[in-house]
Amino acid sequence: MKPDMSSLKKSDKKAALDFAAWSFNVTTSVGIIMVNKALMATHGFTFATTLTGLHFVTTTLMTIVFRWLGLSQPSQLPVADLIKFVIFSNLSIVGMNVSLMWNSVGFYQIAKLCMIPASCLLEVVFDHVHYSRDTKLSIMVVLIGVAVCTVTDVSVNARGLIAAVIAVWSTALQQYYVHFLQRKYSLNSFNLLGHTAPAQAGSLLLVGPFVDYLLTGQRVDHFVFSSLALFFLVLSCFIAIGVNLSQFICIGRFSAVSFQVLGHMKTVLVLSLGFIFFGKEGLNLQVVIGMVLAVLGMIWYGNASAKPGGKERRSVLPVRSASLKGSSEEKDGAEK
């Protein structure tokens, strides 16, 4: 029996789009980490929450331009769902910043790793997703690998633990909600960003300076910009458009769990680039073994979750009729 050429072409097209989406996300995410490191560590702009608010301002401008050009069509998102999403997203941003300040770097990394089990639990409880044994084991290998190469000193205190718990669950809920809203309301990435980016920009710029003052003891309005600091700030905001858009595209095409698991490739790349550009201090056999384990785990996860029964949804969420232009963007991406 000859293979169906149309199905093969569709499969090849999907694989190409999946690769493009991941490449877009990895490139922009690693790029913004490097730029923000220069902006904060070298030029002293340590106001992370306010910076995130500025990122969403530029993302909002992008959605306005896209709508003006006709690349994004008008859509609807209930205010109640928008408010929930903004609360989850802003708690995630503030929670991660506070967790980093109140905890050791080692415990902060452990908290980030906990986002994968948290995302898995949300999918199991709300979407009735079933994971095969190989898929579960591959996730464990990724977690062990990243832990081996990133977790060093571990110390915890009560307020740091509370901040970490809030950060983990708000991030998991935010990423789950991206996928949930896109499926429920047939929204593509541009449409969803058009609803959420303005609300996040306004709310983060409102609370950001106060949060940053609490974390740093410095006022953002007293910061004196050099020409290089301003350059890196603008560059960071420009790259953030790609980061925000690619996150929504990837979670829409895949799932929050796949985004978290394969997203640790960025951790490995950031560590590798850090050793290349900023010196080999801290590079040892343990770090190399951890990186190799993490990459092998990601490859295993990709293969295991793609097999029949590797990861399957046992109930389907009712989806509105997809009448919006471009809404097939995420529908072409099957769950992985």
Side-chain angles (χ1 to χ4, degrees), residues 14 17 51 61 69 76 79-80 95 109 115 126 128 135 155 164 168 171 183 192 203 252 256 277 282 285 335:
K14 178 189 175 305
L17 290 174
L51 178 62
L61 294 176
L69 293 174
Q76 297 295 324
V79 175
Q109 291 293 347
M115 291 175 190
F126 293 115
H128 304 286
T135 304
S155 60
V168 167
T171 301
R183 286 187 294 123
L192 186 55
S203 56
F277 293 111
L285 182 60
E335 287 290 326

Side-chain angles (χ1 to χ4, degrees), residues 35 39 51 58 228-240:
V35 170
L39 177 62
L51 178 62
T58 53
L228 270 178
L230 188 59
F231 167 76
F232 280 113
L233 177 66
V234 173
L235 182 59
S236 177
C237 290
F238 179 76
I239 298 174

Side-chain angles (χ1 to χ4, degrees), residues 165-194:
V165 170
I166 292 173
V168 167
W169 282 107
S170 57
T171 301
L173 284 164
Q174 183 261 344
Q175 293 182 358
Y176 172 83
Y177 223 51
V178 168
H179 195 66
F180 172 82
L181 293 176
Q182 288 186 1
R183 286 187 294 123
K184 184 176 182 180
Y185 298 109
S186 296
L187 297 172
N188 62 30
S189 303
F190 299 106
N191 289 333
L192 186 55
L193 267 178

Side-chain angles (χ1 to χ4, degrees), residues 18 20-26 178-179 182 189 245-256 258-259 329-330:
D18 288 348
W22 277 118
S23 299
F24 184 27
N25 181 254
V26 169
V178 168
H179 195 66
Q182 288 186 1
S189 303
L245 179 59
S246 64
Q247 183 197 41
F248 280 30
I249 291 175
C250 286
I251 296 178
R253 294 188 67 81
F254 308 107
S255 70
S258 295
F259 181 74
E329 174 190 337
E330 280 80 15

Side-chain angles (χ1 to χ4, degrees), residues 119-171:
S119 296
C120 287
L121 183 60
L122 290 177
E123 289 192 353
V124 169
V125 171
F126 293 115
D127 293 342
H128 304 286
V129 170
H130 171 75
Y131 296 92
S132 69
R133 183 176 64 99
D134 281 358
T135 304
K136 294 174 185 175
L137 288 174
S138 67
I139 292 174
M140 288 183 63
V141 171
V142 173
L143 292 174
I144 292 170
V146 176
V148 167
C149 65
T150 61
V151 177
T152 52
D153 62 309
V154 178
S155 60
V156 63
N157 56 74
R159 65 176 187 172
L161 179 62
I162 293 172
V165 170
I166 292 173
V168 167
W169 282 107
S170 57
T171 301

Side-chain angles (χ1 to χ4, degrees), residues 45 47-61 200-201 204-205 220 225 233 236-238 240-241 244:
F45 189 86
F47 311 100
T49 310
T50 303
L51 178 62
T52 307
L54 293 174
H55 288 169
F56 281 108
V57 169
T58 53
T59 302
T60 299
L61 294 176
Q200 285 193 260
L204 286 173
L205 287 181
V220 64
F225 281 97
L233 177 66
S236 177
C237 290
F238 179 76
I241 296 174
N244 291 329

